[in-house]
Amino acid sequence: MSSKAVCPGSYDPVTNGHLDVITRAARRFDEVVVAVVGNPSKQPTFTAEERVAMVAAEIEELVAGGANVRVMSFDGLLVDFCRDHGIGVICKGLRGVADFESEQQMAQMNTRIGDVETMFLATRPDLSYLSSSLVREVAALGGSITGMVPASVERALIERVRRG
């Protein structure tokens, strides 16, 4: 039986924490689809196309090593995306208790409306403080985000937030 999972998110921008979850999911599933939310309710810093390109560039080495991982954008309900692509598992990283409370509610709703299970991966302790919104804020205020995101993402984010 082939197993497929989706790692959904806004990836605005993709962080080293996101990449860790994607890499770990790729070790457990035959195929992983990184699903970039095209129209998140918050105003994204990067377009969906830019976010897809950033994630794709950062997983090239993983794919070259044999992992079956691809990146796509989507709009609408995640369960509809899963149904359309034959995916039965959502794979999400959890940083702490606050994440669990909101993610559990979404997981239960996704199971109820879409018959999709959610698997949670505990975030590595050295990455547990990372969030895209915090990284964006630090970058916008002139702080260093080195080591929080890949170097190419760091450059793109600094350029974007500092020019307005």
Side-chain angles (χ1 to χ4, degrees):
M1 181 169 128
S2 176
S3 61
K4 291 172 80 171
V6 63
C7 292
S10 63
Y11 299 100
D12 189 37
V14 62
T15 68
N16 290 338
H18 292 133
L19 295 171
D20 179 62
V21 170
I22 294 165
T23 300
R24 291 166 57 204
R27 290 187 202 130
R28 302 285 181 250
F29 294 93
D30 297 326
E31 181 180 350
V32 173
V33 177
V34 180
V36 176
V37 178
N39 62 350
S41 57
K42 48 194 165 194
Q43 193 68 0
T45 303
F46 296 99
T47 66
E49 295 78 18
E50 290 170 323
R51 290 180 278 138
V52 166
M54 280 189 224
V55 175
E58 296 307 325
I59 65 166
E60 279 180 0
E61 190 174 311
L62 184 63
V63 172
N68 188 4
V69 182
R70 60 190 166 119
V71 186
M72 303 172 70
S73 68
F74 78 100
D75 295 314
L77 291 173
L78 180 58
V79 294
D80 291 339
F81 178 86
C82 290
R83 184 192 63 247
D84 293 346
H85 296 280
I87 299 170
V89 177
I90 299 167
C91 187
K92 302 282 297 247
L94 290 180
R95 292 171 296 196
V97 175
D99 279 356
F100 179 76
E101 290 176 0
S102 61
E103 293 293 346
Q104 180 187 26
Q105 186 177 25
M106 281 192 281
Q108 291 169 334
M109 179 62 80
N110 287 334
T111 299
R112 171 78 168 87
I113 66 172
D115 192 29
V116 179
E117 294 295 332
T118 301
M119 180 180 97
F120 296 120
L121 291 176
T123 304
R124 287 184 2 209
D126 62 316
L127 300 172
S128 63
Y129 66 94
L130 285 176
S131 72
S132 293
S133 58
L134 188 55
V135 167
R136 284 192 315 271
E137 184 176 347
V138 169
L141 294 172
S144 174
I145 57 170
T146 300
M148 299 177 199
V149 296
S152 62
V153 173
E154 179 179 5
R155 287 187 299 274
L157 180 59
I158 288 170
E159 180 182 320
R160 181 68 49 96
V161 299
R162 293 198 181 150
R163 70 176 157 105

PDB file of all heavy atoms in Angstrom, residues 1 6 8-9 11 17 19 22 35 48 53 59 62-64 73-74 76 81 86 98 119 130 138 140 157 161 164:
ATOM      1  N   MET A   1       0.843  -1.180   0.000  1.00  0.00           N
ATOM      2  CA  MET A   1       0.000   0.000   0.000  1.00  0.00           C
ATOM      3  C   MET A   1       0.888   1.244   0.000  1.00  0.00           C
ATOM      4  O   MET A   1       1.800   1.369   0.787  1.00  0.00           O
ATOM      5  CB  MET A   1      -0.892  -0.016   1.233  1.00  0.00           C
ATOM      6  CG  MET A   1      -1.817   1.151   1.311  1.00  0.00           C
ATOM      7  SD  MET A   1      -3.025   0.869   2.624  1.00  0.00           S
ATOM      8  CE  MET A   1      -2.855   2.366   3.519  1.00  0.00           C
ATOM      9  N   VAL A   6       0.363  15.050   3.276  1.00  0.00           N
ATOM     10  CA  VAL A   6       0.471  16.446   2.901  1.00  0.00           C
ATOM     11  C   VAL A   6       1.014  17.217   4.098  1.00  0.00           C
ATOM     12  O   VAL A   6       0.655  16.947   5.240  1.00  0.00           O
ATOM     13  CB  VAL A   6      -0.894  17.026   2.440  1.00  0.00           C
ATOM     14  CG1 VAL A   6      -1.921  17.013   3.554  1.00  0.00           C
ATOM     15  CG2 VAL A   6      -0.736  18.432   1.881  1.00  0.00           C
ATOM     16  N   PRO A   8       0.788  20.881   4.969  1.00  0.00           N
ATOM     17  CA  PRO A   8       0.201  22.150   4.550  1.00  0.00           C
ATOM     18  C   PRO A   8       0.728  23.332   5.360  1.00  0.00           C
ATOM     19  O   PRO A   8       1.214  23.175   6.482  1.00  0.00           O
ATOM     20  CB  PRO A   8      -1.276  21.932   4.855  1.00  0.00           C
ATOM     21  CG  PRO A   8      -1.251  21.077   6.083  1.00  0.00           C
ATOM     22  CD  PRO A   8      -0.053  20.167   5.914  1.00  0.00           C
ATOM     23  N   GLY A   9       0.645  24.504   4.765  1.00  0.00           N
ATOM     24  CA  GLY A   9       0.993  25.712   5.498  1.00  0.00           C
ATOM     25  C   GLY A   9       1.068  26.908   4.585  1.00  0.00           C
ATOM     26  O   GLY A   9       1.010  26.788   3.368  1.00  0.00           O
ATOM     27  N   TYR A  11       3.788  28.927   4.706  1.00  0.00           N
ATOM     28  CA  TYR A  11       5.210  28.987   4.337  1.00  0.00           C
ATOM     29  C   TYR A  11       5.607  30.410   3.933  1.00  0.00           C
ATOM     30  O   TYR A  11       6.252  30.613   2.912  1.00  0.00           O
ATOM     31  CB  TYR A  11       5.537  27.980   3.217  1.00  0.00           C
ATOM     32  CG  TYR A  11       5.277  26.560   3.634  1.00  0.00           C
ATOM     33  CD1 TYR A  11       4.109  25.896   3.249  1.00  0.00           C
ATOM     34  CD2 TYR A  11       6.188  25.878   4.423  1.00  0.00           C
ATOM     35  CE1 TYR A  11       3.858  24.598   3.642  1.00  0.00           C
ATOM     36  CE2 TYR A  11       5.942  24.562   4.824  1.00  0.00           C
ATOM     37  CZ  TYR A  11       4.781  23.930   4.436  1.00  0.00           C
ATOM     38  OH  TYR A  11       4.529  22.638   4.831  1.00  0.00           O
ATOM     39  N   GLY A  17      12.389  25.122  10.577  1.00  0.00           N
ATOM     40  CA  GLY A  17      11.450  24.231  11.251  1.00  0.00           C
ATOM     41  C   GLY A  17      10.529  23.531  10.259  1.00  0.00           C
ATOM     42  O   GLY A  17      10.288  22.325  10.359  1.00  0.00           O
ATOM     43  N   LEU A  19      11.183  22.942   7.122  1.00  0.00           N
ATOM     44  CA  LEU A  19      11.998  22.010   6.333  1.00  0.00           C
ATOM     45  C   LEU A  19      12.311  20.746   7.121  1.00  0.00           C
ATOM     46  O   LEU A  19      12.359  19.652   6.551  1.00  0.00           O
ATOM     47  CB  LEU A  19      13.276  22.701   5.851  1.00  0.00           C
ATOM     48  CG  LEU A  19      13.022  23.843   4.861  1.00  0.00           C
ATOM     49  CD1 LEU A  19      14.307  24.619   4.600  1.00  0.00           C
ATOM     50  CD2 LEU A  19      12.427  23.328   3.558  1.00  0.00           C
ATOM     51  N   ILE A  22       9.144  18.601   6.904  1.00  0.00           N
ATOM     52  CA  ILE A  22       9.035  18.026   5.552  1.00  0.00           C
ATOM     53  C   ILE A  22      10.016  16.868   5.386  1.00  0.00           C
ATOM     54  O   ILE A  22       9.659  15.802   4.878  1.00  0.00           O
ATOM     55  CB  ILE A  22       9.271  19.112   4.484  1.00  0.00           C
ATOM     56  CG1 ILE A  22       8.144  20.156   4.514  1.00  0.00           C
ATOM     57  CG2 ILE A  22       9.412  18.503   3.088  1.00  0.00           C
ATOM     58  CD1 ILE A  22       8.463  21.446   3.769  1.00  0.00           C
ATOM     59  N   ALA A  35       1.857  21.489   0.580  1.00  0.00           N
ATOM     60  CA  ALA A  35       0.727  22.262   0.063  1.00  0.00           C
ATOM     61  C   ALA A  35       0.774  23.681   0.619  1.00  0.00           C
ATOM     62  O   ALA A  35       0.557  23.900   1.808  1.00  0.00           O
ATOM     63  CB  ALA A  35      -0.589  21.584   0.436  1.00  0.00           C
ATOM     64  N   ALA A  48       1.820  33.352  -3.570  1.00  0.00           N
ATOM     65  CA  ALA A  48       1.800  31.888  -3.533  1.00  0.00           C
ATOM     66  C   ALA A  48       2.874  31.319  -4.448  1.00  0.00           C
ATOM     67  O   ALA A  48       3.568  30.362  -4.080  1.00  0.00           O
ATOM     68  CB  ALA A  48       0.417  31.363  -3.926  1.00  0.00           C
ATOM     69  N   ALA A  53       7.981  28.469  -5.056  1.00  0.00           N
ATOM     70  CA  ALA A  53       9.346  28.442  -5.606  1.00  0.00           C
ATOM     71  C   ALA A  53      10.395  28.352  -4.500  1.00  0.00           C
ATOM     72  O   ALA A  53      11.387  27.618  -4.633  1.00  0.00           O
ATOM     73  CB  ALA A  53       9.587  29.674  -6.470  1.00  0.00           C
ATOM     74  N   ILE A  59      13.942  22.131  -1.146  1.00  0.00           N
ATOM     75  CA  ILE A  59      13.831  20.666  -1.048  1.00  0.00           C
ATOM     76  C   ILE A  59      14.527  19.947  -2.204  1.00  0.00           C
ATOM     77  O   ILE A  59      14.480  18.722  -2.283  1.00  0.00           O
ATOM     78  CB  ILE A  59      12.363  20.197  -0.933  1.00  0.00           C
ATOM     79  CG1 ILE A  59      11.562  20.519  -2.202  1.00  0.00           C
ATOM     80  CG2 ILE A  59      11.714  20.756   0.324  1.00  0.00           C
ATOM     81  CD1 ILE A  59      10.243  19.807  -2.287  1.00  0.00           C
ATOM     82  N   LEU A  62      16.758  17.151  -1.091  1.00  0.00           N
ATOM     83  CA  LEU A  62      15.953  16.052  -0.567  1.00  0.00           C
ATOM     84  C   LEU A  62      15.410  15.206  -1.714  1.00  0.00           C
ATOM     85  O   LEU A  62      15.492  13.972  -1.691  1.00  0.00           O
ATOM     86  CB  LEU A  62      14.803  16.631   0.275  1.00  0.00           C
ATOM     87  CG  LEU A  62      13.878  15.692   1.011  1.00  0.00           C
ATOM     88  CD1 LEU A  62      14.632  14.891   2.062  1.00  0.00           C
ATOM     89  CD2 LEU A  62      12.750  16.492   1.662  1.00  0.00           C
ATOM     90  N   VAL A  63      14.895  15.853  -2.729  1.00  0.00           N
ATOM     91  CA  VAL A  63      14.354  15.169  -3.910  1.00  0.00           C
ATOM     92  C   VAL A  63      15.476  14.465  -4.669  1.00  0.00           C
ATOM     93  O   VAL A  63      15.320  13.308  -5.091  1.00  0.00           O
ATOM     94  CB  VAL A  63      13.583  16.157  -4.816  1.00  0.00           C
ATOM     95  CG1 VAL A  63      13.185  15.505  -6.129  1.00  0.00           C
ATOM     96  CG2 VAL A  63      12.354  16.693  -4.084  1.00  0.00           C
ATOM     97  N   ALA A  64      16.608  15.141  -4.819  1.00  0.00           N
ATOM     98  CA  ALA A  64      17.750  14.530  -5.508  1.00  0.00           C
ATOM     99  C   ALA A  64      18.227  13.276  -4.781  1.00  0.00           C
ATOM    100  O   ALA A  64      18.744  12.350  -5.400  1.00  0.00           O
ATOM    101  CB  ALA A  64      18.898  15.534  -5.633  1.00  0.00           C
ATOM    102  N   SER A  73       0.493  24.682  -4.771  1.00  0.00           N
ATOM    103  CA  SER A  73      -0.333  25.631  -4.026  1.00  0.00           C
ATOM    104  C   SER A  73      -1.788  25.184  -4.134  1.00  0.00           C
ATOM    105  O   SER A  73      -2.146  24.416  -5.028  1.00  0.00           O
ATOM    106  CB  SER A  73      -0.153  27.058  -4.550  1.00  0.00           C
ATOM    107  OG  SER A  73      -0.686  27.181  -5.841  1.00  0.00           O
ATOM    108  N   PHE A  74      -2.589  25.667  -3.204  1.00  0.00           N
ATOM    109  CA  PHE A  74      -4.018  25.349  -3.255  1.00  0.00           C
ATOM    110  C   PHE A  74      -4.809  26.462  -2.594  1.00  0.00           C
ATOM    111  O   PHE A  74      -4.289  27.234  -1.790  1.00  0.00           O
ATOM    112  CB  PHE A  74      -4.321  23.995  -2.586  1.00  0.00           C
ATOM    113  CG  PHE A  74      -4.337  24.037  -1.076  1.00  0.00           C
ATOM    114  CD1 PHE A  74      -5.537  24.099  -0.378  1.00  0.00           C
ATOM    115  CD2 PHE A  74      -3.158  24.006  -0.349  1.00  0.00           C
ATOM    116  CE1 PHE A  74      -5.554  24.136   1.005  1.00  0.00           C
ATOM    117  CE2 PHE A  74      -3.161  24.034   1.029  1.00  0.00           C
ATOM    118  CZ  PHE A  74      -4.362  24.103   1.718  1.00  0.00           C
ATOM    119  N   GLY A  76      -8.876  27.025  -0.842  1.00  0.00           N
ATOM    120  CA  GLY A  76     -10.038  26.290  -0.369  1.00  0.00           C
ATOM    121  C   GLY A  76      -9.718  25.382   0.797  1.00  0.00           C
ATOM    122  O   GLY A  76      -8.738  25.566   1.522  1.00  0.00           O
ATOM    123  N   PHE A  81      -8.461  19.358  -1.132  1.00  0.00           N
ATOM    124  CA  PHE A  81      -7.168  19.145  -1.775  1.00  0.00           C
ATOM    125  C   PHE A  81      -6.725  17.697  -1.561  1.00  0.00           C
ATOM    126  O   PHE A  81      -6.284  17.030  -2.509  1.00  0.00           O
ATOM    127  CB  PHE A  81      -6.133  20.118  -1.196  1.00  0.00           C
ATOM    128  CG  PHE A  81      -4.750  19.952  -1.762  1.00  0.00           C
ATOM    129  CD1 PHE A  81      -4.377  20.592  -2.936  1.00  0.00           C
ATOM    130  CD2 PHE A  81      -3.817  19.141  -1.121  1.00  0.00           C
ATOM    131  CE1 PHE A  81      -3.100  20.432  -3.461  1.00  0.00           C
ATOM    132  CE2 PHE A  81      -2.540  18.977  -1.634  1.00  0.00           C
ATOM    133  CZ  PHE A  81      -2.179  19.623  -2.811  1.00  0.00           C
ATOM    134  N   GLY A  86      -5.746  12.158  -3.592  1.00  0.00           N
ATOM    135  CA  GLY A  86      -5.635  10.827  -3.001  1.00  0.00           C
ATOM    136  C   GLY A  86      -4.760  10.768  -1.758  1.00  0.00           C
ATOM    137  O   GLY A  86      -4.046   9.788  -1.528  1.00  0.00           O
ATOM    138  N   ALA A  98       0.302  25.310  22.968  1.00  0.00           N
ATOM    139  CA  ALA A  98      -0.582  26.252  22.260  1.00  0.00           C
ATOM    140  C   ALA A  98      -0.866  25.756  20.843  1.00  0.00           C
ATOM    141  O   ALA A  98      -2.001  25.841  20.370  1.00  0.00           O
ATOM    142  CB  ALA A  98       0.027  27.648  22.234  1.00  0.00           C
ATOM    143  N   MET A 119      -1.340  13.546  11.534  1.00  0.00           N
ATOM    144  CA  MET A 119      -0.208  13.041  12.306  1.00  0.00           C
ATOM    145  C   MET A 119       0.598  14.250  12.758  1.00  0.00           C
ATOM    146  O   MET A 119       0.935  15.112  11.934  1.00  0.00           O
ATOM    147  CB  MET A 119       0.661  12.134  11.436  1.00  0.00           C
ATOM    148  CG  MET A 119       1.850  11.565  12.171  1.00  0.00           C
ATOM    149  SD  MET A 119       2.837  10.507  11.091  1.00  0.00           S
ATOM    150  CE  MET A 119       4.087  11.686  10.612  1.00  0.00           C
ATOM    151  N   LEU A 130      10.628  28.773  16.403  1.00  0.00           N
ATOM    152  CA  LEU A 130      10.458  29.384  15.083  1.00  0.00           C
ATOM    153  C   LEU A 130       9.002  29.437  14.634  1.00  0.00           C
ATOM    154  O   LEU A 130       8.264  28.455  14.750  1.00  0.00           O
ATOM    155  CB  LEU A 130      11.233  28.591  14.033  1.00  0.00           C
ATOM    156  CG  LEU A 130      12.734  28.759  14.021  1.00  0.00           C
ATOM    157  CD1 LEU A 130      13.361  27.836  12.983  1.00  0.00           C
ATOM    158  CD2 LEU A 130      13.112  30.201  13.755  1.00  0.00           C
ATOM    159  N   VAL A 138      11.047  39.925  13.180  1.00  0.00           N
ATOM    160  CA  VAL A 138      12.455  40.175  13.507  1.00  0.00           C
ATOM    161  C   VAL A 138      13.171  40.790  12.309  1.00  0.00           C
ATOM    162  O   VAL A 138      13.920  41.767  12.444  1.00  0.00           O
ATOM    163  CB  VAL A 138      13.158  38.879  13.983  1.00  0.00           C
ATOM    164  CG1 VAL A 138      14.666  39.068  14.074  1.00  0.00           C
ATOM    165  CG2 VAL A 138      12.591  38.431  15.329  1.00  0.00           C
ATOM    166  N   ALA A 140      11.846  42.492   9.805  1.00  0.00           N
ATOM    167  CA  ALA A 140      11.329  43.842   9.555  1.00  0.00           C
ATOM    168  C   ALA A 140      11.910  44.864  10.516  1.00  0.00           C
ATOM    169  O   ALA A 140      12.081  46.032  10.160  1.00  0.00           O
ATOM    170  CB  ALA A 140       9.804  43.846   9.647  1.00  0.00           C
ATOM    171  N   LEU A 157      13.609  37.679   2.112  1.00  0.00           N
ATOM    172  CA  LEU A 157      12.750  38.265   3.132  1.00  0.00           C
ATOM    173  C   LEU A 157      13.257  39.643   3.552  1.00  0.00           C
ATOM    174  O   LEU A 157      12.468  40.600   3.645  1.00  0.00           O
ATOM    175  CB  LEU A 157      12.644  37.347   4.352  1.00  0.00           C
ATOM    176  CG  LEU A 157      11.776  37.861   5.494  1.00  0.00           C
ATOM    177  CD1 LEU A 157      10.346  38.107   5.038  1.00  0.00           C
ATOM    178  CD2 LEU A 157      11.798  36.883   6.664  1.00  0.00           C
ATOM    179  N   VAL A 161      10.894  42.936   3.212  1.00  0.00           N
ATOM    180  CA  VAL A 161      10.350  43.681   4.355  1.00  0.00           C
ATOM    181  C   VAL A 161      10.991  45.044   4.547  1.00  0.00           C
ATOM    182  O   VAL A 161      10.371  45.956   5.080  1.00  0.00           O
ATOM    183  CB  VAL A 161      10.413  42.867   5.681  1.00  0.00           C
ATOM    184  CG1 VAL A 161       9.600  41.600   5.576  1.00  0.00           C
ATOM    185  CG2 VAL A 161      11.834  42.596   6.110  1.00  0.00           C
ATOM    186  N   GLY A 164       9.571  47.785   2.045  1.00  0.00           N
ATOM    187  CA  GLY A 164       8.226  48.280   2.275  1.00  0.00           C
ATOM    188  C   GLY A 164       7.156  47.357   1.946  1.00  0.00           C
ATOM    189  O   GLY A 164       6.072  47.459   2.062  1.00  0.00           O
TER     190      GLY A 164
END
